[in-house]
Amino acid sequence: MKRLLYTGLLCCSILCSCKKLFDIKPEEALDHSQVYENVNDADAAVIGIYGKVMGLADRYMILNELRGDLVDVTTSTTDKYLQELNIHEVSADNTYADPRPFYEVIMNCNDALKNFDAMLQDKRISNDDYILRYAAVGAMRTWLYLQLGIHYGEIPYITDPLETIDAIKDVSKFPRVTFNELLSKLITFTEGLPYKYPFPAGTSLLITTDGYSTEKFFINIKCLLGELYLWNGNYTQAATNYRVMMNYADVLYPAMNSEQWYEVYRVGYTANLSGALWSNIFSQPYGERYSNYEIIWNLPFDKNFTPANPFIELCDNVSGSYQIRPSDLAIANWNKQFRSDNTPIDLRGPNISFKYSGTQPVIKKYTYNYTSLLPFETSSKWILFRAAALHLHYAEAANRDNRDKIAYALLNTGIKNTYDPVYMATGVTGGEGRNVTDIEQTKDVPPYDFDARDGNYPQFRNVWYRNIGVRGRVGLKSVKVDSTGVFEMSDPLLTDKPVIDRPTLTNRMEDLLIDEDGLELAFEGYRWPDLLRVALRRQATDPAWLANKIAAKFVAANDSRAEAVRSRLMNKANWYLPFKW
């Protein structure tokens, strides 16, 4: 009776109180003695798991960014484990390399999934309630395993509950699987989830309390599948899953007559997100309208609840310990860009992605509302997936699927401009007062069918006409593929020149996309995975690609360790962390 009373009170508090929603103690919510009696108990388990994932935020950022080329340790860093990660010489006792925190959440997922099955069998939960909660937890487990695969390569893949987490040490029962084997298992499981779309209105998981909506609290499964297929090399399936969310405004706004219908997840022209106002993605409050056009999955850090925002302590040089900072290379990359009016500097860099505090560069993306004058204003949002990443990763898949022109369009100035021969020939839009029946569209099969026609004779205003590309949205000049040796250039009037060297073209376009990933998504947890994914593709033809990318960070900083780092990363074994229990 005591357990039942505790569980009932806990679940009631979760559904009614922001404190219990975001300050819940996962070890209590997920205690093995917890009784799963009804949908409220199931909700408590789901929220508890997502709350515990928030405790991985600093580890997620450190592993995915410090190991890349855009984040460096500061001169004041005394943490030897951060220094090891930075130079890719990681000791077995490195606390950040410990896989246990990921597995602790995975074991909680396994326990919850088993109990959800039992609840359904015993009719303690309806099928409709079951499929949403099973999907929310199952997809989170997949995401956690993907992170483990990225960082460790070979890992134990365990889907059954264990009495103790130390049981994982038994290699005879839980042998390690390779990263490729893991990806296959994750795709099979995730494709088999009973629900794979954003949750519908009406479920008790979607609530708003004290200004926080849980609408984007849960992992987006279609984007997750896109990521899995992208890693697995099934580019058509990756693009297919990404396109679901690129077109999701059609679901949200079926009347198709609102501004939101054109803008949600399409990287289109929205005054509140364009140019210098791109910072609104990070600075606006959790759930604000315009950042909602961009953000697909995010979790809130609130100053009143635990877990606390970890990024202030990690990044700030006044109130925090200032352990990591933007690399000199990252700053140089933003500084060497040119805007469409020929003025220098990518505005996504200084004072937006990072700032100078005194003479020191400080990562700013997750500390927008923090100032030393208001030391307790630590609220922030942890953005885990957003529209720009969706478009860039879709473009990566499309490029690998021989759609380099679509990749170029989404990278630069959008579908309409790229598929307008007047614009491509002159750099000036042809205007709306003309017949665009046969242009401004890809004329391709799904998932590569885009219609961006914008004309008046006859009148067209099709879905993608506002799309202006990742660089176009922030007013940057287009970046172009080096055409040397890859196109037949004999006809200067031909807009779409024949490709004569597809592999080289694919790699050159991919290099542009990876560079743009760094400019757009720096410090958000994408960098090491993006670099590793390309390195794995190119290891047979360009085994030094990853080593050169990371060494460039040290070269830019005039750090004498550049060659030592390059040498270590020439060995693929050093691309992964030591898996020690």
Side-chain angles (χ1 to χ4, degrees), residues 270-288:
T270 301
N272 289 69
L273 291 180
S274 297
L277 294 177
W278 180 83
S279 62
N280 286 346
I281 296 167
F282 310 96
S283 63
Q284 288 180 337
Y286 182 92
E288 198 281 334

Side-chain angles (χ1 to χ4, degrees), residues 115 188 204 216 261 335 348 351 371 408 413 479 514 541 554:
N115 278 286
T188 298
S204 59
K216 298 187 179 184
W261 177 60
N335 287 345
R348 293 171 297 183
N351 299 316
T371 168
Y408 178 91
T413 57
V479 287
I514 291 299
T541 58
F554 296 88

Side-chain angles (χ1 to χ4, degrees), residues 112-131:
L113 294 174
K114 177 184 178 182
N115 278 286
F116 292 164
D117 284 338
M119 292 177 76
L120 179 66
Q121 182 176 353
D122 297 343
K123 301 188 183 331
R124 285 173 278 152
I125 192 172
S126 72
N127 186 67
D128 287 346
D129 288 336
Y130 165 84
I131 63 176

Side-chain angles (χ1 to χ4, degrees), residues 18 22-23 212 300-309 312 369-370 374-380:
C18 184
F22 300 117
D23 195 28
Y212 290 104
F301 288 109
D302 190 283
K303 63 181 179 180
N304 296 313
F305 317 129
T306 57
N309 179 354
I312 294 171
N369 301 317
Y370 178 76
L374 298 170
F376 300 110
E377 292 294 333
T378 60
S379 297
S380 183

Side-chain angles (χ1 to χ4, degrees), residues 151-169:
H151 293 297
Y152 298 94
E154 294 187 356
I155 61 167
Y157 179 65
I158 303 165
T159 58
D160 294 325
L162 300 177
E163 287 297 322
T164 68
I165 193 170
D166 283 333
I168 295 174
K169 292 189 293 187

Side-chain angles (χ1 to χ4, degrees), residues 473-488:
R473 179 170 66 168
V474 291
L476 288 174
K477 280 189 169 183
S478 294
V479 287
K480 301 185 184 300
V481 177
D482 178 2
S483 61
T484 306
V486 299
F487 293 109
E488 170 55 60

